[in-house]
Amino acid sequence: MAAAQRIVIENCSIATVDADDTEYAAGHLVIADRRVESLGAGDAPEGLENVVRRIDATGHLVTPGLVNTHHHFYQWITRGLATDHNLFDWLVALYPTWARIDEEMVRSAARGSLAMMARGGVTTAMDHHYVYPRGSGDLSGAIVGAARDMGVRFTLARGSMDRSEKDGGLPPDFAVESLDGALAATEETVKRHHDTSFDAMTQVAVAPCSPFSISTELLRQGAELARRLGVRMHTHGSETVEEEKFCHELFGMGPTDYFESTGWLGEDVWMAHCVHMNDSDIAAFARTRTGVAHCPSSNARLAAGIARVPDMLAAGVPVGLGVDGTASNESGELHTELRNALLINRLGAHREAALNARQALRLGTFGGAQVLGRAAEIGSLEPGKLADLVLWKLDTLAHASIADPVTALVFGAAAPVTASFVNGRQIVQDGRLLTADEDEIARSTREQARRLAEIAAR
């Protein structure tokens, strides 16, 4: 076997986000092929063989790569619409447009979403795609291909909807699948794209959309399918007060009890938002180790409310961060969510310590790895873990006068990314993608946004 090729990063601050929150004010990190080989204080060890590159990271903080736990890539081409709506009105306004997407649009939107996240420090992304209009092409394949080409580690949450307007749901009739069709297509997607290996670049989860757009049977059989195939499960939960009312009226119970009754609580499940959770809901999530994708900017944009993240963490609920779709978070960046999560969760009297900078960083790294079921491989910088990491430049005007680098990263302006690595492969250099043409992506997404708007208008 060929000897491991090494990249040595030196003279940097390091926040490992390991179980002890180990940090080094001035340290080094060694990448050997796809993994972190060693790290620690001071200079790298003498005599390392096959060093193909040395990086002087003076003025930088090295962290694990950011992990995005909730997104809807297709929404990249419907940004800036319905900007003053709550969730229900926003969905009603946009579903007729979303129902007309096709493979070309989805590929372009996925590239835009991935590019924006990757250049901002995301090394693991996910997409909850649930709109599969009839005759729209291979949407799942387009999304997976976009992530593969970008070089980002990826989870496709293969979504589905079978409750349309005629059944009391929100999406148009032609935008939903049948129960059997959705389950069959989901199983085919898992078999085609899911990789179980330690360093897998693509994994698939079973992900019916939300109580407003899916039948109880799709939830129940979706859970059975996921557990038979050995993959994770994802959906939206407890996002708004309207959802609470909807579940009580239709099912005679709140969202958490409803999900539990259909098999949708467990350590193989994570849910987006979870804004309206009472003490017993949080206790149920903690008891079952059900994860949460916290999306602070989207929740604020749609006036959904503030999720009780500090209470969830105190109870032992796994929590990660999510961008959410860019029709409700137009920036599409996860590194800004570190700051927004901290600030939003401090709103209210005597909440100045509700979250701190290191907790926010953990949400965006190890917490995300937990909810995606990949905490053994990514989310912290430790020997043997995959080399997914980011070098944040903190010696410019924006951050240089903040002594603590983690405080600078979380409380300060969005920090420039000097380098981002996935599997030991560099994908970002000085804030620009190395794996794609950003200007070409911008042109493509602009064209596809116009095309979709024209089709929807007809």
Side-chain angles (χ1 to χ4, degrees):
M1 293 179 63
Q5 293 189 328
R6 292 181 170 86
I7 298 173
V8 178
I9 304 170
E10 295 181 290
N11 306 319
C12 52
S13 300
I14 302 175
T16 69
V17 200
D18 65 9
D20 299 317
D21 270 332
T22 305
E23 297 181 11
Y24 302 101
H28 69 275
L29 184 145
V30 180
I31 298 171
D33 291 335
R34 297 182 177 185
R35 303 199 186 196
V36 175
E37 182 177 61
S38 63
L39 72 166
D43 297 333
E46 297 286 341
L48 290 173
E49 297 181 351
N50 298 313
V51 175
V52 297
R53 186 178 175 196
R54 287 185 179 270
I55 300 174
D56 180 359
T58 300
H60 289 76
L61 171 66
V62 177
T63 72
L66 300 184
V67 179
N68 179 42
T69 63
H70 186 66
H71 209 317
H72 308 294
F73 290 177
Y74 74 90
Q75 292 181 14
W76 188 264
I77 57 174
T78 59
R79 295 191 294 165
L81 305 177
T83 55
D84 303 310
H85 292 51
N86 66 21
L87 177 68
F88 259 46
D89 293 342
W90 176 83
L91 288 171
V92 169
L94 291 175
Y95 261 134
T97 298
W98 294 339
R100 289 163 175 80
I101 58 174
D102 61 24
E103 185 176 336
E104 186 179 6
M105 294 174 190
V106 168
R107 180 179 294 105
S108 177
R111 294 178 73 217
S113 296
L114 286 159
M116 200 67 190
M117 284 187 292
R119 67 201 291 273
V122 169
T123 56
T124 297
M126 71 81 68
D127 181 27
H128 185 192
H129 188 85
Y130 52 84
V131 183
Y132 288 88
R134 293 165 205 155
S136 55
D138 182 10
L139 305 189
S140 293
I143 297 163
V144 169
R148 181 187 60 241
D149 294 344
M150 200 77 63
V152 174
R153 203 177 301 283
F154 180 59
T155 294
L156 173 63
R158 204 291 180 185
S160 52
M161 301 186 293
D162 69 339
R163 184 196 294 273
S164 67
E165 289 174 316
K166 66 179 174 56
D167 302 312
L170 291 176
D173 296 340
F174 63 87
V176 304
E177 300 171 281
S178 67
L179 170 64
D180 291 341
L183 293 169
T186 300
E187 181 166 5
E188 174 60 26
T189 302
V190 173
K191 291 179 176 178
R192 182 178 168 195
H193 295 295
H194 185 66
D195 183 356
T196 60
S197 60
F198 183 85
D199 59 354
M201 290 296 290
T202 305
Q203 295 195 330
V204 179
V206 174
C209 182
S210 70
F212 303 121
S213 56
I214 55 178
S215 65
T216 298
E217 203 54 34
L218 181 54
L219 267 183
R220 188 172 287 119
Q221 291 191 39
E224 293 169 357
L225 173 66
R227 288 174 177 137
R228 174 167 61 82
L229 298 176
V231 299
R232 297 183 73 74
M233 301 152 58
H234 181 59
T235 191
H236 296 89
S238 299
E239 186 173 0
T240 63
V241 291
E242 289 85 0
E243 180 183 335
E244 178 88 18
K245 181 181 178 182
F246 179 89
C247 288
H248 275 287
E249 289 179 351
L250 243 66
F251 315 121
M253 62 187 91
T256 298
D257 290 337
Y258 174 59
F259 283 125
E260 186 158 34
S261 74
T262 56
W264 273 80
L265 293 188
E267 61 183 3
D268 54 353
V269 180
W270 85 104
M271 295 193 196
H273 304 299
C274 299
V275 173
H276 297 277
M277 301 265 282
N278 59 33
D279 289 347
S280 64
D281 295 330
I282 292 174
F285 272 55
R287 169 176 50 81
T288 58
R289 299 292 292 166
T290 303
V292 171
H294 176 44
C295 305
S297 293
S298 175
N299 293 342
R301 157 79 149 83
L302 296 173
I306 302 172
R308 295 172 58 187
V309 171
D311 295 334
M312 294 178 192
L313 295 176
V317 176
V319 183
L321 290 181
V323 169
D324 204 6
T326 47
S328 65
N329 179 4
E330 276 74 5
S331 75
E333 297 176 300
L334 192 71
H335 62 312
T336 56
E337 298 303 293
L338 301 176
R339 186 173 191 265
N340 290 344
L342 183 146
L343 297 180
I344 285 175
N345 282 283
R346 288 187 176 190
L347 288 173
H350 310 299
R351 293 183 58 82
E352 62 275 3
L355 278 183
N356 62 41
R358 282 159 178 81
Q359 287 175 306
L361 178 59
R362 180 170 288 274
L363 290 176
T365 53
F366 188 79
Q370 278 186 299
V371 304
L372 293 185
R374 305 206 65 176
E377 304 115 88
I378 60 174
S380 60
L381 299 177
E382 302 178 66
K385 282 199 163 185
L386 296 171
D388 293 9
L389 54 96
V390 180
L391 279 67
W392 307 93
K393 188 171 178 59
L394 298 179
D395 60 357
T396 68
L397 173 65
H399 304 92
S401 58
I402 304 176
D404 175 59
V406 176
T407 296
L409 177 67
V410 176
F411 278 83
V417 173
T418 293
S420 183
F421 291 85
V422 180
N423 257 357
R425 174 196 181 197
Q426 188 170 352
I427 65 167
V428 174
Q429 175 72 40
D430 295 328
R432 296 287 292 185
L433 291 169
L434 297 176
T435 54
D437 183 336
E438 294 180 27
D439 296 329
E440 186 277 324
I441 292 173
R443 286 192 297 272
S444 172
T445 56
R446 183 167 55 248
E447 291 168 2
Q448 294 304 317
R450 288 173 179 166
R451 178 170 161 255
L452 177 58
E454 290 170 0
I455 291 171
R458 294 200 295 267

